[in-house]
């Protein structure tokens, strides 16, 4: 299918999860991108398996969460095995209770994520141009010229902004000349999606042994598992290896005979940990695997790419729609690069510990690790901290230049993800939550504390005259049923607080007074709203 347009505001190269999420977020704001991919169609393989709570919050905001919950499966827990014996079992049931509407790890493979996002694009009349490759790009002061190839046909398309979501071998990144620094792990790995006869529990089963490791991840289908492990050294040079050659090694690690009834997918691969030197160059951006790749520890890869798109999309929309000054785009790399760097370092350390053949590390894994994990899991504070990192709900942008913290309270700060707090709507006499208040596109202003009718009228008038369609408004007066919300934000009796939540549900502005002039200063001079 040939791209019919000669110019588009946004060209997205790559229709994996990151690129599709980018397109979906743009469409929520009425911006119609062009999205291309060199593949023949969406992946039929499961690939990434875990959808973390922060990603589920995005899907909820998009209105598609029910299909994901119904089509996936919660990970009930993690079981650590040594020499075929269970040495530690950790429950994941509601491990993040109170922190999010989704206090669990949800198993919903990449293939389903892509299909769901493609359906979202289809409903919004946005096609994906498959079998279409990027050949070259030329950046100019006011546009990017992209040379594309579809079949035998070559064409040029111009765009105002270019998004590279084309994976670890990103042509966009190569064309921009951005280094992709890092390394490749020395071992070769295998991945198998199989149905087995001797089914495990619905928990993730990890087997740690001197000869390597293997992980069994339950799939939504009955008796189906994702198996990940190291290829034994003696087989590492083999190509087109069948799963049958891996089974003796897998049986030795697990201490049992794995009866494979059907293999849906089997592949061997090398793992890398790399990060681009920059996520932006002029009018081009990198998101997802084009910007960073790392080990699969903790199921963070696909989720981080979704978050990249979520962070960039609202900023780019603001510029495309002439609502925000172009300087807002500098905050994308400033906010997301530290997140990627921290993730890279964390997953690298954990993965090297898992892979290590050092005798001392072996003793540590055998004797100390189970005790340490059991101790951590038994302490609610440490368990909550673990979930925040795993679920990505703990990511904050406190150092970002597009946030403004004017509150004396230090518990919740500008840059933090808006806490998930249930709210009782006194008017409608029903329960909702702060995240539900942020379901509409745009910024959300929330005022907490007692305001007079004239104050509410003045705020509504200010929004109508200056930020219609860009700033949603909610007011929460004091009440016994909502006291926990006031406590969470450190609001004492007769005090007030003004909060402006960014479109990505991170707090951009927080103040101990409800002052229109201060909020206007934040929106105009810090965020960069274009004056109408």
């Amino acid at each position: 299918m040939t791209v019919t347009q000669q110019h588009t505001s946004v060209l997205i190269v790559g229709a994996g999860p990151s690129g599709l999420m980018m397109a979906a977020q743009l469409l929520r704001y009425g911006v119609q991108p062009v999205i291309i991919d060199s593949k023949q169609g969406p992946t039929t393989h499961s690939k990434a398996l875990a959808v973390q709570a922060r990603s589920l919050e995005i899907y909820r905001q998009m209105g598609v969460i029910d299909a994901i919950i119904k089509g996936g499966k919660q990970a009930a827990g993690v079981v650590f095995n040594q020499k075929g014996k269970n040495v530690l079992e950790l429950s994941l049931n509601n491990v993040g209770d109170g922190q999010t509407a989704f206090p669990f790890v949800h198993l919903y493979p990449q293939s389903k994520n892509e299909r769901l996002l493609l359906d979202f694009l289809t409903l919004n009349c946005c096609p994906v141009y498959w079998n279409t490759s990027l050949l070259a790009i030329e950046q100019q002061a006011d546009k990017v010229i992209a040379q594309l190839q579809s079949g035998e046909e070559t064409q040029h398309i111009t765009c105002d902004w270019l998004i590279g979501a084309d994976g670890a071998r990103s042509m966009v990144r190569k064309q921009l000349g951005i280094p992709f620094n890092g390394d490749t792990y020395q071992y070769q790995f295998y991945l198998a999606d199989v149905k087995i006869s001797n089914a495990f529990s619905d928990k993730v089963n990890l087997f740690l042994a001197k000869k390597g490791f293997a992980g069994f991840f339950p799939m939504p289908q009955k008796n189906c598992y994702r198996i990940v492990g190291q290829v034994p050294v003696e087989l590492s040079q083999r190509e087109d290896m069948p799963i049958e050659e891996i089974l003796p090694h897998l049986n030795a690690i697990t201490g049992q005979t794995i009866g494979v009834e059907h293999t849906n997918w089997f592949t061997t691969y090398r793992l890398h940990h790399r990060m681009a030197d920059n996520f932006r160059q002029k009018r081009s951006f990198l998101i997802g695997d084009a910007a960073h790749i790392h080990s699969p520890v903790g199921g963070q890869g696909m989720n981080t790419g979704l978050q990249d798109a979520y962070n960039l999309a609202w900023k780019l929309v603001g510029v495309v729609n002439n609502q925000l000054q172009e300087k807002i785009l500098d905050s994308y790399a400033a906010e997301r690069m530290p997140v990627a760097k921290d993730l890279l370092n964390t997953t690298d350390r954990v993965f090297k510990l898992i892979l290590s053949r050092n005798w001392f590390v072996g003793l540590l894994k055998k004797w100390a690790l189970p005790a340490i994990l059991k101790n951590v899991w038994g302490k609610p504070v440490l368990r909550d901290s673990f979930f925040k990192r795993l679920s990505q709900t703990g990511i904050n942008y406190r150092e970002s230049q597009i946030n403004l913290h004017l509150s004396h309270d230090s518990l919740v700060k500008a840059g933090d993800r808006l806490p998930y707090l249930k709210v009782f709507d006194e008017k409608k006499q029903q329960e909702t939550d702060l995240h539900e208040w942020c379901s509409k596109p745009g910024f959300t202003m929330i005022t907490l504390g007692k305001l007079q009718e004239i104050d509410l009228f003045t705020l509504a008038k200010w929004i109508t005259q200056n930020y219609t369609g860009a700033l949603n408004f909610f007011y929460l007066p004091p009440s016994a049923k909502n006291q926990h919300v006031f406590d969470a934000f450190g609001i004492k009796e007769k005090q007030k607080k003004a909060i402006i939540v960014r479109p990505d549900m991170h707090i951009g502005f927080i103040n101990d007074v409800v002052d229109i002039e201060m909020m206007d200063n934040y929106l105009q001079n810090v965020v960069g709203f274009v004056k109408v």
Side-chain angles (χ1 to χ4, degrees), residues 101-334:
F102 313 101
F104 46 80
V105 176
H106 196 60
L107 302 177
Y108 187 77
Q110 179 176 327
S111 53
K112 287 191 174 183
N113 279 271
E114 291 188 13
R115 283 291 179 186
L116 180 126
L117 289 166
L118 279 168
D119 287 345
F120 188 93
L121 266 60
T122 301
L123 288 173
N124 288 274
C125 303
C126 179
V128 174
Y129 294 93
W130 300 106
N131 194 31
T132 303
S133 304
L134 176 73
L135 298 180
I137 58 174
E138 177 189 340
Q139 294 207 84
Q140 298 184 353
D142 60 343
K143 64 177 181 284
V144 180
I145 303 173
Q147 184 181 3
L148 311 179
Q149 183 169 0
S150 179
E152 300 298 321
E153 184 180 350
T154 301
Q155 66 177 117
H156 289 83
I157 182 174
T158 61
C159 58
D160 298 322
W161 305 98
L162 177 70
I163 310 296
D166 48 343
R169 295 184 175 87
S170 172
M171 177 58 74
V172 173
R173 189 186 64 244
K174 292 175 182 177
Q175 285 287 311
L176 296 174
I178 297 176
F180 200 41
N181 294 318
D183 205 353
T184 303
Y185 291 105
Q186 67 177 104
Y187 299 108
Q188 190 176 13
F189 301 87
Y190 66 86
L191 182 155
D193 282 352
V194 296
K195 182 177 182 180
I196 61 178
S197 55
N198 50 332
F200 295 94
S201 65
D202 58 352
K203 296 179 174 65
V204 174
N205 275 265
L206 301 177
F207 294 83
L208 305 176
K210 287 184 179 180
K211 294 182 178 181
F213 83 98
F216 287 70
F217 301 84
M219 303 283 281
Q221 299 84 3
K222 186 178 180 181
N223 294 344
C224 289
Y225 293 85
R226 155 77 56 81
I227 307 176
V228 178
Q230 283 173 259
V231 174
V233 176
E234 61 270 21
L235 298 177
S236 60
Q237 302 303 317
R238 289 286 309 276
E239 294 183 4
D240 300 324
M241 185 191 317
I243 190 172
E244 287 75 17
E245 294 194 24
I246 289 291
L247 289 179
H249 178 73
L250 182 61
N251 293 339
I253 289 176
T254 59
Q256 57 186 286
T257 301
I258 305 299
V260 176
E261 293 183 355
H262 179 73
T263 302
N264 297 314
W265 183 36
F266 179 77
T267 186
T268 58
Y269 58 97
R270 295 278 180 181
L271 282 172
H272 309 266
H273 48 113
R274 301 179 185 276
M275 177 173 158
D277 274 8
N278 208 331
F279 290 5
R280 180 191 179 187
Q281 188 186 102
K282 298 179 181 178
R283 290 183 164 270
S284 300
F285 300 86
L286 300 176
I287 64 174
D289 286 355
H292 46 78
I293 53 173
H294 43 81
S295 84
V297 168
Q300 301 292 292
M302 178 179 69
N303 294 275
T304 305
L306 297 177
Q307 298 296 329
D308 289 343
Y310 189 51
N311 181 285
L312 175 59
W314 68 268
K315 301 168 183 178
L316 192 58
V317 162
V319 174
V320 170
N321 289 337
N322 296 316
Q323 285 185 323
L324 299 177
Q325 297 174 31
E326 194 175 313
K327 66 179 183 179
I328 189 77
L329 298 176
D330 294 333
S331 69
Y332 165 65

